[in-house]
Every structure is written in structure tokens, then in C-alpha cells.
Amino acid sequence: MRVAALWFPDWPIQAAHLTGNDPLWVLAIVESQRIRTCSSSARGRGVSRGMRIRQAKAVCPELVLLDHDPDRDARVFESIIAALDELAALVEVLRPGLVIVDIRAAGKFHGSEDAAVELLIDAVSHHGVYACVGVADEIPTALIAARTGIGKVVPEGCSAEFLAEQPLALLTAEVSLHCEPEVVANLQQLGISTLGELAALSVTAVATRFGCAGLACHRIARAEQHRRVASRSPDLELRVSVTPEDPIDRVDAAAFVARHLAALLHTRLEEAGLNCVRLRIHVKLAEDKGVERIWRTTGVLSESATADRVRWQLDSWLTLGGIGPILALTLDPLETVIPEHAGQLWRAGEAGDAALADTAIGRAQSLLGVEAVLQPRLAGGRGVVERIDFLAYGADNQSGEPAAEGVKLVPGRVPSPLPARLGPGYSHPAARVRLLDAAGDDVSVQAEALLSAFPHTLRWGRERFQVTGWAGPWPVDLSWWALESSRVARLQVVGQSALESHPRAWLLIWIGGGTSWRVEAIYD
């Protein structure tokens, strides 16, 4: 196999120019208050990727900012793909701004490989955009060849020699290679700077230290053939289709159908124990006509990634393609793989678990709802329960600043370290304890936020502990502005039972208006 990869540098910038923005502008695409992509003229003035907007405007006041719009990038890219379809039969999209072509098949049709490459470049130039072309025997090698400056044609059988001289950082320069930045950074810290040095390592050493994520990088460095363009379709019938009651002629309706069909497809894939890496999107039009497009990824297409690609494609066809109403939509997984971590979510000491966990959590959210899977974060509170907040997994912190930064500013907070376990709950009878002084009287918190006596004994049910240390109290006047305000105080207590050889520690909470203490949390 011979593969040609066409990489469109700074594609969001080129797409913005094609949609009417002046090419003479010093342009940058922003996302989350940072520079995501910038034009070459902006880079020449000191703007770089990842820079904050305020810093970028300081070094380049004439910088024009546009919001990141993946829908626009995919919609504009469709016209480029259509032009390439006229020249090659097997064109697959990895992402907006990057496609691969079976250049051997195209070369047989057009006379030679070089002639086919020239025709592809001419077709791209005709649309007013530019691309770098890399040709090699394997898909990853072709992607790396395309990103080496102006592109490169690697002679047949010479992939290993070409890759040996390439810097290791190229593995993370292209996201479609799906190489984990953390693994690449660890390899660089070990002194490995080129792909040739990585390929020289033994498979056992890489697998032992870096797991499957390291092996993926190692296979690329060794130029091992992983998958082919237009691979054999799976034997199972996994395609899913939908025929809406009313023809689809609006983008919002297409987005809804895309999400529904993606969920249905991944349900079938889950039942079969497979992941999709190559997807065909086919729509049926009036008069028995139809159009289709193939999307490929070197990683695994998640449910959300599948829905995004289907939505982008339908948006392109409806907005720019002028194809008319869509009568039916079909998703056909042309290539599937068995998950490398089948049946396992986290494995100690192995890289790639974070991406695997994201896939599993994304599937759980699609089945149960976004709010059904929560992740903890530090919040600005005083007690243990108040210091932890829960958000839907993947949701952004909308406060603008990390919540943990505000914890230090809260008066009356319990100092670190925090307890490891929560108690039964304030209202649960099992949480009630008695704190006694040496005379056997109950210890309470006075109006001056002082203890009425020194703690001597803690009684929890039938157990009795002699207090060997304590700290506090930390008083809090809750809702002091209301008519029915309440005062609470927290106390750290260490006690020793006569029947045990080791002490215990608790965080107690006292609620004003009585002498009752409750166990809020337990130190381990």
C-alpha cells in the first residue's frame, strides 16, 4: 500500500479566509481565552499557540480574533474533499484539515504516483488553499512526512530510515496519531529525542514501562503496518439507518438525528465488543440518488466523536452542497477493532487509562444521562462535606478561578489534613457522641467560642475513649442575618480506648442550643 496524506496547515485560519475574512488580516482562532491557532503573519509578530488573549493582544495590537468553530471548519472542508473525490476513488477524512488517499490506486489511473500527487495539489490550489503532501507505505508515516516542512515522498520500503531521523516531538504534533503527550514527555526525559532511538528499544522494555500507549508510539517509530486505506469491512452487520417522517432540510434537525443514530450505532458496537475506526456516512436523496463520505481515525471513534462527524458532514451537505432534503441516513462501520483493554478499566502502572476511563464514562453518560456521572472538586467551605462539590463529569468550572483557591479565605474552616471518611450523618442516631470533662459533665461551646471544660472522655455508644489530644473549636454562625440563625462549632479530638493498641481521631461538630456532639468525619 502507498498512502498520500494531505495536511492543510492552520486549517481553521484557511477556513476563515474562505468564509470571507480578509487574508491580509493578522488572524488568530481563540478558545477558552487562549490562542488555539494563528496565521503565519501573527506568528511573525510574536503570537504563539496556547498564549492568553491579553498577552497576544499586547505583543500584536492589530491581531484579529475569531472564535473556534469546528462546524465551520468541517463545512468548508467538504468542498475540498469533493474536489479530491474527482481525482481519487479512496479518499478518507481523518479530521477537518487532514485526509488520506490510496495513492497507488490513484497512480495506476493517472499514469504514475507523481502525476496523481500533482493533480491532488492542483485541485487544492484551485480552491485558494494550500496543503503539504506526504507519501509513504503506512498511514502514520505519511502523516509525519506531510508535517515535515513542505512535505516529503518517502520511497517505497524506506519508511524506517526516514522515521529514524525525525524528532520524537512529531508524535504529538499531529493529534490524529493519538500518541499521548505524557508518554512522549517521559520518553524525552529519558533522553530519547528521535524516532530512531525509540525504535531501537525492545518491545518488552517499552511495554513494561509505558504499556499500550508506549507500544502505539513504538509501532509508529518502527513503521509497522497497522491499518490500510479501505480495509476489509467487518463480517457482522453493524450498520444503522433511520428514515425520518419528514425529510431533513435543516441543520438543527440533522444534529438531532446524528446524535440519536450515533447512540444506536455504539449500542450495537458495545454488544459486539468492538470499536469503530472507519465510518461511512451515507444519505439517501430524492430520485434514488445518494451521497456518502468516509471518516477515519487512527484511534477509536467514541460516541460523541461519531455524532460530531455525522453532524459536521450533514451540515456541510445541507449548507454548501445543495443536496436537497435527506430522506434517509445510514452509518456503516467499515472497519472495527477489538478494544485493547477489553473488560478492564484501570490497570496500575499502565499509560492510556485516562483515555479508556473517558470512553467508559462517556458511554455511561450516554446511557444514564450527563448528570448521572459526577466528579468531585474542591469548593470553598468550612466543614468536610462543604469542601467537596460535585459536577457532571466533563463540565467546566464556570466560576473562572479554581474553587480550591477560595478555601483559604473562608474563616472558620477546618485546617488540613482533612478526614478520610465521613460519619453517618448529622441526623443519624449513630453519629451522636458525648464529650465529657474529668468530672463526667458534658462539654459544650460557650458564647465566647470556648469550651466549657477540658475534654477528658468521649463516649460513642458503648465504647469509651480517653481524650489524649484536641484542637479547636472552630465556630461558625450560620445564617446570622436570618431570624432563626444557628451556631455550630467543630472540634478535632484524638482518643485512646483501653481495649485497643492504637488511638483514633474524629472531627466532631456541635450544634448550638444543647450539649450534643456528632461525628462529622473520621481520620484514618
Side-chain angles (χ1 to χ4, degrees), residues 87-436:
L87 300 172
L90 300 176
V91 179
E92 297 181 359
V93 185
L94 275 71
R95 60 172 176 81
L98 182 64
V99 297
I100 57 174
V101 179
D102 186 343
I103 200 64
R104 170 158 290 173
K108 291 180 178 179
F109 182 81
H110 295 288
S112 67
E113 183 178 294
D114 293 340
V117 170
E118 290 182 4
L119 289 173
L120 294 176
I121 296 176
D122 291 342
V124 168
S125 302
H126 180 72
H127 283 75
V129 295
Y130 58 94
C132 297
V133 180
V135 180
D137 296 340
E138 308 85 21
I139 294 176
T141 308
L143 298 180
I144 294 175
R147 297 188 68 101
T148 56
I150 59 174
K152 181 177 178 60
V153 176
V154 180
E156 191 169 355
C158 298
S159 295
E161 291 80 357
F162 163 73
L163 292 173
E165 302 175 355
Q166 304 306 315
L168 188 69
L170 279 178
L171 293 179
T172 56
E174 176 50 58
V175 295
S176 296
L177 292 174
H178 292 276
C179 293
E180 295 190 9
E182 183 179 356
V183 173
V184 176
N186 290 336
L187 289 169
Q188 291 174 325
Q189 291 178 357
L190 294 175
I192 299 174
S193 59
T194 64
L195 294 179
E197 294 174 351
L198 175 59
L201 299 178
S202 67
V203 175
T204 303
V206 175
T208 303
R209 177 63 179 84
F210 299 103
C212 291
L215 287 176
C217 300
H218 194 250
R219 283 196 296 265
I220 294 175
R222 290 171 59 90
E224 293 183 4
Q225 186 65 262
H226 189 44
R227 288 195 288 269
R228 303 174 60 86
V229 179
S231 300
R232 183 176 63 88
S233 299
D235 297 330
L236 296 176
E237 181 59 43
L238 298 173
R239 68 168 59 93
V240 293
S241 302
V242 62
T243 302
E245 295 182 0
D246 298 322
I248 301 174
D249 56 2
R250 301 193 322 273
V251 175
D252 57 344
F256 178 80
V257 173
R259 181 67 60 182
H260 166 72
L261 209 55
L264 183 59
L265 172 63
H266 279 266
T267 299
R268 290 196 177 183
L269 290 171
E270 181 183 5
E271 293 173 352
L274 298 172
N275 287 328
C276 177
V277 295
R278 185 165 164 265
L279 177 69
R280 177 167 59 196
I281 305 171
H282 180 273
V283 297
K284 179 182 178 182
L285 307 175
E287 300 178 358
D288 293 332
K289 295 181 180 179
V291 292
E292 65 180 34
R293 178 71 64 223
I294 297 175
W295 286 77
R296 169 188 284 274
T297 174
T298 53
V300 174
L301 278 173
S302 65
E303 181 177 329
S304 59
T306 300
D308 287 340
R309 282 158 174 78
V310 177
R311 177 171 53 83
W312 292 341
Q313 192 60 62
L314 297 182
D315 186 7
S316 302
W317 282 334
L318 291 172
T319 305
L320 300 178
I323 62 173
I326 297 175
L327 303 182
L329 172 63
T330 301
L331 302 184
D332 188 5
L334 297 180
E335 185 178 354
T336 58
V337 295
I338 299 175
E340 293 181 343
H341 299 271
Q344 302 183 35
L345 181 58
W346 286 284
R347 296 170 62 182
E350 187 161 321
D353 294 337
L356 181 64
D358 287 339
T359 302
I361 292 172
R363 182 168 297 172
Q365 286 180 319
S366 67
L367 294 175
L368 305 177
V370 175
E371 299 295 335
V373 183
L374 305 178
Q375 61 181 351
R377 70 177 180 109
L378 291 178
R382 298 177 175 88
V384 179
V385 178
E386 301 167 359
R387 298 273 286 274
I388 301 297
D389 192 11
F390 289 91
L391 294 174
Y393 185 84
D396 294 330
N397 181 8
Q398 301 297 330
S399 63
E401 296 293 338
E405 297 297 327
V407 173
K408 300 180 180 179
L409 306 178
V410 178
R413 71 185 183 93
V414 178
S416 297
L418 294 179
R421 291 187 294 153
L422 293 177
Y426 299 152
S427 61
H428 199 284
R432 297 176 182 176
V433 298
R434 293 187 66 187
L435 193 62
L436 308 175

Side-chain angles (χ1 to χ4, degrees), residues 21 24 33 62 68 84 96-97 110-111 146 234 305 314 322 333 336 357 482 506:
N21 294 278
L24 298 179
Q33 300 299 312
E62 66 273 22
H68 175 53
L84 298 178
H110 295 288
L314 297 182
T336 58
W506 308 269

